[in-house]
Amino acid sequence: MAQDETNIVTRHGIPTFPGGELKYGPDFEHLDYVNPDAPKGGEMSEWAFGGFDNWNPYTINGRAGALSSAPLESLLTSVSDEIGSDYGLLAESLEYPEDRSWVIFNLREGIEFSDGTPMTAEDVLFSYEVFREKGLPSFRKVLDDTVETAEVLDPLRIRFDFKEDTEKRDAIQKVGGLPILSKAQYDTGKMDLEEPQSTPWIGTGPYVVDLDRSELGKTVVVTRNPDYWGQDLPINIGRNNFDALRVEYFADYAVALEGLKGGAYMFRNEASSKDWATGYDFPAVEKGWIVKRELPHGVISNGQSFVFNTRHEQLKDPRVREAIGLMFNFEWSNEKLFYGLYERVDSFWENTDLAATGLPSEEELALLEPLRADIPEEVFTEEPYMQPRSDPNSSTDRRNLRKANRLLDAAGWSEFNSSGLRVKDGKTLRVEFLNDSQTFDRIVNPFVENLRSAGIDAQHQRVDNASATERERPPNYDFDIVTAFLPTGYVPGDSLKQYFGSETADTSTFNKMGLKNPAVDALIEHVKAAQNQKDLEVAISALDRVLRALKFRTGQWNKAAYTVAYYDVFEHPEELPPYALGNMDFWWYNAEKAEKLKAAGAF
């Protein structure tokens, strides 16, 4: 296959679009949002829900511990104040032609794994090959569709050639983002990317898993590698400031909050609106030992939603799914349960300028019209589908109930049994919410009651974290409705195929709804093919319209600020970057404050 060997670009990073510019030049001293003089030391600790049973985050079997991937680095890395660009980490530079049909990564000298062995291009090649052969099925497909060949040129250089028919805008960043494993560790026979691992991965990163301090299922601790090769790189100045990062697991949200009060961990990114509004009136906050703050951000919504499993017969009809969504009263929930903390999620690109608005533009219609047979007609005639708005004064909105009843009747569920439940062809319209979080009980239960008022046999099934994970994952997909995240991104690429693509819908961990739609597949390719910001915005807007119109999820909520509480021993740059909280990345520990709080009996 002929490859472009002319007009070669050699750079320290790569922007989103060909011909684009990087924010940081080749001689930058440090990232703008860090404190280059931040002291090193101390420990940052958080909590996590549930438990874990192994150290491999790259398998669908079992549940990996938080920070399991912390020891691993990649050739390229992103930054938190720039969208879409990547900079060299393990790679000192990269060479590629203007058409991005291939790339050569030039590795930095002196890179070592945490066991002291050198990292070379052979480890990069091995990592690519093992992820291609044993990675998550949807990710294997991405690599297989992208890379034609990979070749080690010398110990510090590796070349990837990309398939002629693949979209190449993101191809370099795709392979540049692969976690680099130690081939020598894997060759011992103790490691398997497809299986749960009792041994953590050896990596080149600034932290290593501390098995002496970690306890399987309960505690994860990673500690600083004192011999970390990259500590003086400009990309790392002012970062990796803690001597240790720790995560404590709790099976109960209320107990976890008590853990913060008792000093079991010291930083909490609060996810419960009720706790944020009512749970922080304890002495440590009143004395100023614990700081309670709202930190605004510009982060895209994570797509948190009630997701419908369209593989199940009763949820195949979009009218049924829309009717179910109509019975979730967000406005009442926000006022009565969430203390007004949240905003409703409508778009898959919520909290960005990329969300579809108004009727389709001429540019969007040029993409949509050829796909019309697989797109709901409302996409062409109406503004983007919005999640239903409800009466905040009543848990059941009567107007939405009437609309839901009409939709269910039209879908053929117009008959009722003696219990007042809808039936069709002798079967009851039954849906089950699979839920592993006690904090969601107060949200799901009113939703269930509303559905029952519409004649739906709705059930709320509470299970433990391990059971929920097993039931949600392939090949089981043993759920009707589950809370899940459907993230997209500012410059999305193949991740859209993993979450919304047809090809791996029956094997994907991420496409929980089982979405298979040719129009969505085609629009994803348009998003991937966009070569400038304008074309990207048009393609995303068109895709957003179609995803919303398919009604395979009921969007939940979002807030445009981090709600955090932490012991007053941590500090951060005065101005945080727009796209990261970064408490484990570029915050730091104030030892003097810590001594004062300890002397006062704070912990």
Side-chain angles (χ1 to χ4, degrees):
M1 179 174 58
Q3 295 281 12
D4 184 1
E5 302 289 344
T6 62
N7 299 318
I8 306 304
V9 178
T10 301
R11 303 187 77 166
H12 64 293
I14 183 169
T16 301
F17 301 114
E21 295 298 322
L22 294 166
K23 174 177 180 177
Y24 294 100
D27 299 320
F28 77 96
E29 296 181 358
H30 59 79
L31 300 173
D32 289 348
Y33 55 85
V34 304
N35 173 9
D37 301 316
K40 306 293 185 184
E43 178 184 84
M44 170 63 76
S45 54
E46 296 183 343
W47 81 284
F49 175 65
F52 67 99
D53 57 18
N54 79 98
W55 298 105
N56 182 12
Y58 306 112
T59 175
I60 64 172
N61 301 313
R63 186 176 179 88
L67 306 178
S68 293
S69 61
L72 304 177
E73 293 183 307
S74 53
L75 298 171
L76 303 176
T77 187
S78 60
V79 295
S80 299
D81 60 348
E82 184 179 12
I83 292 173
S85 296
D86 280 353
Y87 294 85
L89 181 54
L90 296 174
E92 184 171 32
S93 65
L94 56 161
E95 306 166 33
Y96 58 91
E98 290 183 353
D99 68 358
R100 303 192 180 192
S101 57
W102 55 267
V103 64
I104 294 174
F105 292 103
N106 300 303
L107 305 183
R108 299 181 192 273
E109 294 185 0
I111 302 175
E112 292 184 347
F113 288 104
S114 58
D115 64 354
T117 59
M119 192 281 287
T120 72
E122 291 291 345
D123 295 292
V124 178
L125 177 62
F126 165 76
S127 299
Y128 157 70
E129 290 176 339
V130 76
F131 274 100
R132 184 193 63 195
E133 295 169 6
K134 292 196 168 191
L136 295 176
S138 56
F139 189 61
R140 293 182 211 173
K141 179 64 179 171
V142 167
L143 289 179
D144 189 56
D145 287 347
T146 303
V147 180
E148 183 71 38
T149 60
E151 176 188 7
V152 171
L153 304 179
D154 66 42
L156 295 180
R157 301 177 82 226
I158 185 168
R159 173 168 172 152
F160 291 89
D161 288 88
F162 303 118
K163 291 187 175 179
E164 191 169 4
D165 59 351
T166 193
E167 295 298 341
K168 299 178 180 63
R169 185 194 70 204
D170 302 327
I172 293 173
Q173 288 158 293
K174 209 174 298 177
V175 294
L178 283 170
I180 304 304
L181 310 176
S182 164
K183 183 177 185 296
Q185 183 193 28
Y186 207 94
D187 285 348
T188 62
K190 297 179 180 179
M191 311 301 288
D192 188 336
L193 196 71
E194 288 184 301
E195 297 299 330
Q197 299 297 312
S198 59
T199 301
W201 297 107
I202 291 174
T204 59
Y207 293 101
V208 297
V209 175
D210 188 334
L211 290 177
D212 291 333
R213 293 187 60 194
S214 299
E215 183 177 356
L216 203 65
K218 295 182 178 179
T219 304
V220 174
V221 180
V222 298
T223 52
R224 183 187 303 282
N225 175 10
D227 301 316
Y228 175 49
W229 68 274
Q231 62 183 0
D232 295 324
L233 294 179
I235 197 86
N236 285 333
I237 297 298
R239 302 174 68 189
N240 309 313
N241 297 320
F242 298 100
D243 285 343
L245 308 175
R246 177 167 56 90
V247 177
E248 294 290 342
Y249 278 81
F250 293 84
D252 184 278
Y253 279 70
V255 175
L257 181 54
E258 293 301 314
L260 177 71
K261 297 177 184 179
Y265 62 96
M266 304 189 77
F267 187 100
R268 182 178 173 96
N269 191 349
E270 184 57 70
S272 167
S273 55
K274 180 180 180 182
D275 285 342
W276 187 249
T278 66
Y280 286 86
D281 56 355
F282 51 92
V285 175
E286 295 165 359
K287 294 177 181 179
W289 296 348
I290 290 179
V291 178
K292 180 173 180 271
R293 297 187 64 189
E294 294 187 14
L295 302 173
H297 64 69
V299 179
I300 189 172
S301 168
N302 59 21
Q304 182 173 312
S305 305
F306 292 111
V307 174
F308 305 120
N309 186 355
T310 65
R311 303 172 187 87
H312 289 183
E313 190 62 37
Q314 78 275 27
L315 293 171
K316 290 184 182 296
D317 193 320
R319 293 170 295 188
V320 173
R321 303 194 298 267
E322 182 179 0
I324 292 173
L326 281 162
M327 300 315 296
F328 175 58
N329 190 330
F330 167 78
E331 284 71 23
W332 177 86
S333 299
N334 197 36
E335 183 171 310
K336 305 298 183 184
L337 306 179
F338 304 154
Y339 299 86
L341 187 63
Y342 296 115
E343 300 291 335
R344 190 72 193 267
V345 171
D346 291 302
S347 169
F348 286 86
W349 278 266
E350 197 75 26
N351 204 34
T352 77
D353 294 331
L354 299 168
T357 58
L359 293 173
S361 65
E362 290 184 10
E363 294 87 351
E364 289 178 72
L365 288 173
L367 302 181
L368 295 167
E369 283 290 357
L371 309 171
R372 194 164 193 139
D374 296 304
I375 296 176
E377 185 60 25
E378 67 188 71
V379 169
F380 299 92
T381 60
E382 301 175 17
E383 295 190 357
Y385 180 73
M386 304 289 286
Q387 299 298 310
R389 269 45 180 180
S390 305
D391 181 359
N393 298 311
S394 173
S395 61
T396 303
D397 185 294
R398 295 296 171 184
R399 177 176 52 85
N400 285 341
L401 174 59
R402 289 192 293 271
K403 185 176 180 180
N405 284 331
R406 290 194 296 271
L407 285 166
L408 293 170
D409 288 345
W413 295 95
S414 56
E415 297 182 1
F416 295 82
N417 63 19
S418 58
S419 299
L421 299 174
R422 292 178 179 271
V423 294
K424 182 170 71 171
D425 300 328
K427 295 182 179 179
T428 302
L429 179 52
R430 185 180 189 276
V431 295
E432 178 186 274
F433 288 80
L434 183 66
N435 174 32
D436 66 353
S437 168
Q438 70 268 33
T439 62
F440 260 64
D441 290 353
R442 66 196 184 104
I443 302 162
V444 173
N445 288 336
F447 195 176
V448 165
E449 290 304 315
N450 284 348
L451 290 171
R452 288 174 178 166
S453 70
I456 298 173
D457 183 14
Q459 303 293 327
H460 178 190
Q461 182 65 44
R462 279 276 274 110
V463 296
D464 60 38
N465 186 243
S467 297
T469 299
E470 181 179 359
R471 288 182 59 178
E472 290 174 21
R473 285 180 173 176
N476 300 320
Y477 299 119
D478 182 19
F479 65 91
D480 291 328
I481 304 172
V482 68
T483 290
F485 300 101
L486 300 173
T488 50
Y490 299 96
V491 188
D494 278 308
S495 62
L496 292 176
K497 295 174 70 174
Q498 292 181 278
Y499 281 91
F500 306 107
S502 299
E503 200 159 1
T504 59
D506 293 327
T507 57
S508 173
T509 304
F510 309 108
N511 189 345
K512 294 186 185 300
M513 53 277 180
L515 178 63
K516 295 181 183 180
N517 182 280
V520 169
D521 296 335
L523 290 169
I524 288 173
E525 294 304 316
H526 284 300
V527 172
K528 290 172 54 185
Q531 296 299 302
N532 56 65
Q533 187 64 29
K534 174 62 175 175
D535 289 348
L536 180 69
E537 291 172 359
V538 169
I540 285 177
S541 183
L543 176 59
D544 188 30
R545 291 178 191 280
V546 174
L547 291 176
R548 290 159 71 171
L550 291 172
K551 303 179 180 71
F552 51 78
R553 65 86 156 110
T554 294
Q556 292 185 357
W557 46 83
N558 183 57
K559 62 179 186 288
Y562 304 109
T563 46
V564 297
Y566 54 90
Y567 282 83
D568 192 20
V569 300
F570 302 121
E571 295 182 349
H572 61 77
E574 183 175 350
E575 185 174 347
L576 292 175
Y579 309 120
L581 174 58
N583 61 297
M584 286 192 169
D585 182 353
F586 49 82
W587 290 40
W588 62 91
Y589 188 82
N590 186 317
E592 185 177 345
K593 284 185 175 181
E595 284 301 317
K596 289 181 180 178
L597 286 190
K598 189 174 182 180
F603 53 86

